[in-house]
Each structure stands twice: as C-alpha cells, then as structure tokens.
Amino acid sequence: MARRQVRVVGAMLQNEQGRYLITQRPPTASLPLLWEFPGGRVEEGEEDAEALAREIQEETGVEVDVLGQAMHTHHEYPNYDIDFRVFHCRLSRPTEEIQHLRVHDHRWVTLEEMSAYRFPDADAKTLAKLLDLDS
C-alpha cells in the first residue's frame, strides 16, 4: 500500500524588525502546542503561493505577499510523508495585527531564538537548514 503524501507550504514571514513569525498549533490539533512556520496543506488544484496566502489568512487573519521559495525538504512521519516547501513572505500591510483564528499563539523571533521553541520534525529539519546545522 502506498504511503500518503502530503504537500505542505510554510512561510518565512519576516517583519520590519527582521524577526520571523512562528505560530503555535492548537491543543486539539495533531502535534498539539508545537511551534511552526505558519502555513498548511496545499489543496488539490492550488498553486503553492495561493495555498500559503489562503492558509495564513485563515489562521491569522493577515494578508501576505508570497515571494520566492526559500527551501524544500521531505520528511517521513510514521503514517505519511511531508513534501514541505518554505517561502519568503512579507505582510501586505505591515501594521496589521496577527489574530489567533486557527492558532493557539504566535511570536516574532530571530532565527537564533527559534531554538528555544519545540517544532514538529519537518519544521525542525527546515530550521536546521536555515541555521546551517544540517550536515
């Protein structure tokens, strides 16, 4: 039986102070209360940038401009595989406030501060690449 493949997009959403947005998964979600790059699943027929903008709007109520792809990684969880693509993004309206519509919490952090937060394995792998920890 073929393993389930899930395509996921995430945002390296940087603010004017050079900090990145991370969001906390809801307590009722899979991988509860872990931190992640905002984003989500790409639906059938969607382009990556379209899916990312939609997911961020649904989760945090803000609009983003999706720029170029920052990185791509693959991660195998026990029951499915993740094809994870991360894109550079910026807020369409920099003064817009982050809302907790489908996230538990959020933080604006530097890349170095991210190591203080617990991420799902796929996000952690991406973070390691960002910090040049991947050998």
Side-chain angles (χ1 to χ4, degrees):
M1 183 173 176
R3 287 176 56 85
R4 188 165 59 113
Q5 304 290 318
V6 180
R7 186 168 179 120
V8 175
V9 288
M12 284 188 64
L13 179 55
Q14 192 172 18
N15 67 12
E16 293 174 328
Q17 292 75 40
R19 294 177 169 270
Y20 293 91
L21 179 67
I22 58 172
T23 55
Q24 189 177 37
R25 298 176 65 83
T28 56
S30 61
L31 307 171
L33 300 176
L34 295 183
W35 293 86
E36 63 187 356
F37 298 108
R41 291 184 184 185
V42 178
E43 301 295 337
E44 187 73 33
E46 265 186 324
E47 296 293 324
D48 289 346
E50 176 186 12
L52 185 53
R54 175 187 53 75
E55 285 283 347
I56 291 174
Q57 173 70 37
E58 290 173 358
E59 292 177 354
T60 66
V62 298
E63 292 182 22
V64 298
D65 299 321
V66 179
L67 309 171
Q69 182 173 304
M71 69 182 53
H72 175 225
T73 190
H74 183 83
H75 185 76
E76 295 179 8
Y77 284 103
N79 299 319
Y80 55 92
D81 296 340
I82 294 285
D83 176 13
F84 187 44
R85 296 169 193 262
V86 178
F87 291 83
H88 293 288
C89 295
R90 68 174 172 242
L91 290 171
S92 299
R93 293 183 295 278
T95 58
E96 196 169 23
E97 290 292 320
I98 304 295
Q99 301 172 54
H100 298 163
L101 302 176
R102 287 186 15 209
V103 299
H104 187 67
D105 202 356
H106 80 280
R107 298 280 188 280
W108 289 99
V109 298
T110 65
L111 285 177
E112 294 76 22
E113 290 169 337
M114 285 187 196
S115 62
Y117 296 86
R118 187 153 175 253
F119 285 80
D121 291 342
D123 285 69
K125 189 184 275 188
T126 301
L127 185 57
K129 285 184 180 184
L130 288 173
L131 297 174
D132 291 322
L133 299 176
D134 202 35
S135 51

